[in-house]
Amino acid sequence: MPRAEHSVSRNSMSENALKVLYRLHNSGYQAYLVGGCVRDALLGKEPKDFDVTTDATPEQIKGLFRNCRLIGRRFRLAHIVFGREIIEVATFRGHHDSSDEGESKISKQSDHGQLLRDNVFGTIEEDAQRRDFTINAMYYNIADHSISDFAGGMQAIKDKSITLIGDPETRYREDPVRMLRAVRFAAKLNMHISDESAEPIKRLAPLMANIPPARLFEEILKLLLSGQGLATYKLLQEFHLFEQLFPQLAPLLLQSGNRENQFVEQVLTNTDNRINTGQRVTPAFIFAAFMWYPLEERCQQLMVEGGLNHFDAFNLALNDVMHRQIQRIMIPKRFSGPIREIWQLQNRLPKRYGRRAYQMLEHPKFRAAYDFLLLRGEIEGGDLLELAQWWTTFQEASEGQRKKMLEALREKEGAPARRPRRHRKKPKPKA
């Protein structure tokens, strides 16, 4: 499609992406924008990530850019670093043929058909066939500003269809994360997964167990922190993928409309609202929410079976639940620490006598813990909601009102009155 027949403009592109494209082109290499940035521009959305593909090898790319680093084992990529922005450059991928000599050094598959190594280079036509979905196989050529559509991506956009290139089962087996990507694109772009691409997902969902936990963490962020988290969650449930990601929570969601379902959906609704209104969100809050009821259940189990008190059972359950989750999805320490604090503060928020309420307000994680408590209260009601409302009022009250609230609480719950401080007499100086 020549420039006059499409809506993709250089004005919508990153300046750094253009620098990379033009340097490759001026050095005699083919250079294209590909994937999501082209798709989003055609959909009238603002592109965010700019991926470049070329016939230059990773080593040739590195020779052109001093700010380049090569990454990846499964497939070698070049990252061109411009401050906080990184432009990813990939060499055209080719077909892997197991009969080729030396193939084991550049291409390797597992017994399940998953690609473990894939450093096979080829032509732009072969690269298009190796792309995952038809809407991601459109290439913007910096040489003449045309778009090459190799797999019917334009038609898929018109049909609002997420369709895999090639045999769906083979492609999912090559990389099971494509099942998550299909769900993410369907929710993000308000499209549907085509029948032939949807059919194998439920059968192949257990293959997610073969994906490294660290990689799944990054995928979860894309799935649930995109502004369409609730729609994505419902699709994950529909295709039996959610239970592969959160195996401790999934059994608690089997009964429609129960508190666990309500809690998860409300957390995602609130997160979507915050993202879509430009407010900050943290993955720690979502992970804390998704593991809260498994934590409560494990705590009760330890109290009944082991005869432990609530404090000891809670701390043991906390470690158990976190350990099981990170075997499926690796949670970095910068998030696992705040998750633990949010949970532990749920036990401290009911304790408000004396200076405790004031000390709680000064805690770095008070706001996250309070928001968590408020959400629990809205779902469960009763004493929990009353406690959350008390903290809502206490935060906004004047100093005099806060003292009255604490005195009223003391009288209501029958706590002993505070003893006046004894002032020790100063010893008389010795003569």
Side-chain angles (χ1 to χ4, degrees), residues 166-187:
D167 175 62
E169 179 158 345
T170 301
R171 301 311 304 279
Y172 288 142
R173 287 186 179 278
E174 285 177 351
D175 185 1
V177 167
R178 285 177 179 144
M179 294 184 278
L180 299 182
R181 286 169 59 82
V183 164
R184 176 160 63 90
F185 290 139

Side-chain angles (χ1 to χ4, degrees), residues 35-37 39-41 43 45-49 135-136 160 162 180-193 222-223 225-233 235 276:
C37 56
R39 176 199 69 222
D40 289 347
L43 286 167
K45 299 176 181 287
E46 182 181 353
K48 293 182 179 179
D49 298 319
I135 56 172
N136 291 338
K160 291 195 165 188
I162 305 296
L180 299 182
R181 286 169 59 82
V183 164
R184 176 160 63 90
F185 290 139
K188 175 185 176 181
L189 304 174
N190 192 25
M191 294 183 174
H192 68 276
I193 304 174
K222 295 174 186 176
L223 286 163
L225 298 179
S226 62
Q228 297 85 25
L230 181 60
T232 304
Y233 161 71
L235 285 174
N276 294 325

Side-chain angles (χ1 to χ4, degrees), residues 17-155:
L18 290 173
K19 287 178 186 176
V20 171
L21 289 165
Y22 278 120
R23 183 172 297 184
L24 286 166
H25 173 67
N26 293 335
S27 300
Y29 298 108
Q30 298 177 53
Y32 297 82
L33 280 178
V34 65
C37 56
V38 180
R39 176 199 69 222
D40 289 347
L42 288 169
L43 286 167
K45 299 176 181 287
E46 182 181 353
K48 293 182 179 179
D49 298 319
F50 295 87
D51 294 334
V52 173
T53 187
T54 178
D55 58 348
T57 65
E59 289 71 23
Q60 289 170 330
I61 298 166
K62 187 172 177 62
L64 292 176
F65 298 92
R66 287 191 301 174
N67 54 333
C68 172
R69 62 173 184 241
L70 301 183
I71 66 162
R73 287 186 301 174
R74 191 171 71 100
F75 186 77
R76 295 278 277 169
L77 297 169
H79 278 182
I80 316 297
V81 182
F82 297 91
R84 291 187 175 182
E85 185 178 17
I86 295 176
I87 305 299
E88 187 172 280
V89 185
T91 306
F92 294 144
R93 286 176 294 180
H95 297 305
H96 47 91
D97 182 357
S98 59
S99 64
D100 289 348
E101 277 190 31
E103 180 270 340
S104 61
K105 296 181 181 179
I106 56 176
S107 176
K108 184 179 179 182
Q109 285 182 293
S110 73
D111 294 338
H112 301 287
Q114 183 179 343
L115 283 175
L116 305 176
R117 197 179 304 124
D118 190 20
N119 290 305
V120 185
F121 303 136
T123 65
I124 187 173
E125 291 81 8
E126 290 174 325
D127 188 79
Q129 292 175 349
R130 295 292 312 281
R131 297 272 156 187
D132 49 10
F133 301 100
T134 59
I135 56 172
N136 291 338
M138 293 179 286
Y139 296 70
Y140 176 89
N141 189 348
I142 197 62
D144 58 8
H145 317 304
S146 65
I147 289 180
S148 298
D149 177 9
F150 289 93
M154 288 294 292
Q155 188 61 46

Side-chain angles (χ1 to χ4, degrees), residues 386 407-415:
E386 188 177 324
E407 287 300 325
L409 181 67
R410 187 178 302 280
E411 292 175 11
K412 177 183 175 184
E413 300 193 1

Side-chain angles (χ1 to χ4, degrees), residues 149-421:
D149 177 9
F150 289 93
M154 288 294 292
Q155 188 61 46
I157 287 176
K158 291 177 184 176
D159 296 339
K160 291 195 165 188
S161 173
I162 305 296
T163 304
L164 274 165
I165 298 172
D167 175 62
E169 179 158 345
T170 301
R171 301 311 304 279
Y172 288 142
R173 287 186 179 278
E174 285 177 351
D175 185 1
V177 167
R178 285 177 179 144
M179 294 184 278
L180 299 182
R181 286 169 59 82
V183 164
R184 176 160 63 90
F185 290 139
K188 175 185 176 181
L189 304 174
N190 192 25
M191 294 183 174
H192 68 276
I193 304 174
S194 68
D195 292 342
E196 62 272 22
S197 296
E199 187 278 326
I201 294 180
K202 291 180 183 178
R203 288 189 288 105
L204 300 180
L207 293 177
M208 296 304 305
N210 300 327
I211 302 301
R215 186 181 177 199
L216 281 181
F217 176 76
E218 297 300 327
E219 291 299 325
I220 285 295
L221 298 190
K222 295 174 186 176
L223 286 163
L224 301 180
L225 298 179
S226 62
Q228 297 85 25
L230 181 60
T232 304
Y233 161 71
K234 290 181 177 179
L235 285 174
L236 289 172
Q237 285 280 59
E238 178 185 341
F239 288 106
H240 299 178
L241 290 166
F242 188 82
E243 62 200 62
Q244 303 298 325
L245 304 172
F246 294 94
Q248 298 175 95
L249 174 60
L252 306 181
L253 302 175
L254 297 177
Q255 184 181 343
S256 178
N258 64 5
R259 66 174 188 172
E260 290 84 357
N261 273 294
Q262 291 179 52
F263 189 61
V264 167
E265 292 189 10
Q266 192 59 55
V267 166
L268 292 171
T269 298
N270 293 355
T271 301
D272 288 347
N273 290 339
R274 290 182 67 85
I275 292 171
N276 294 325
T277 54
Q279 299 178 69
R280 289 181 61 188
V281 297
T282 171
F285 194 90
I286 287 186
F287 277 98
F290 279 17
M291 291 186 279
W292 173 253
Y293 286 116
L295 170 60
E296 275 200 338
E297 183 180 63
R298 179 62 177 149
C299 179
Q300 290 298 319
Q301 183 184 10
L302 289 170
M303 289 173 69
V304 172
E305 296 178 359
L308 301 175
N309 61 46
H310 182 269
F311 178 82
D312 291 338
F314 186 86
N315 286 314
L316 280 174
L318 186 154
N319 291 326
D320 286 352
V321 169
M322 182 69 78
H323 177 71
R324 286 192 62 194
Q325 185 58 57
I326 64 176
Q327 289 179 317
R328 188 78 299 269
I329 299 172
M330 179 56 68
I331 303 172
K333 287 185 179 179
R334 67 182 185 275
F335 297 123
S336 63
I339 291 169
R340 291 172 181 269
E341 288 185 284
I342 289 171
W343 286 343
Q344 290 165 338
L345 288 176
Q346 300 308 297
N347 290 332
R348 290 177 57 187
L349 284 166
K351 301 170 184 176
R352 297 160 279 173
Y353 299 124
R355 295 294 305 167
R356 287 180 176 179
Y358 294 99
Q359 291 167 350
M360 185 63 67
L361 288 179
E362 296 170 1
H363 195 286
K365 288 292 178 288
F366 167 76
R367 185 68 202 189
Y370 160 73
D371 288 342
F372 197 86
L373 173 70
L374 187 60
L375 192 56
R376 290 173 58 210
E378 290 172 354
I379 299 300
E380 297 186 33
D383 292 342
L384 207 57
L385 180 58
E386 188 177 324
L387 175 63
Q389 290 170 341
W390 188 94
W391 277 108
T392 302
T393 306
F394 189 76
Q395 291 177 77
E396 300 168 356
S398 65
E399 185 58 33
Q401 290 170 325
R402 286 179 177 179
K403 287 181 179 178
K404 288 180 181 178
M405 288 178 69
L406 290 171
E407 287 300 325
L409 181 67
R410 187 178 302 280
E411 292 175 11
K412 177 183 175 184
E413 300 193 1
R418 267 195 317 179
R419 292 181 181 178
R421 278 189 180 180

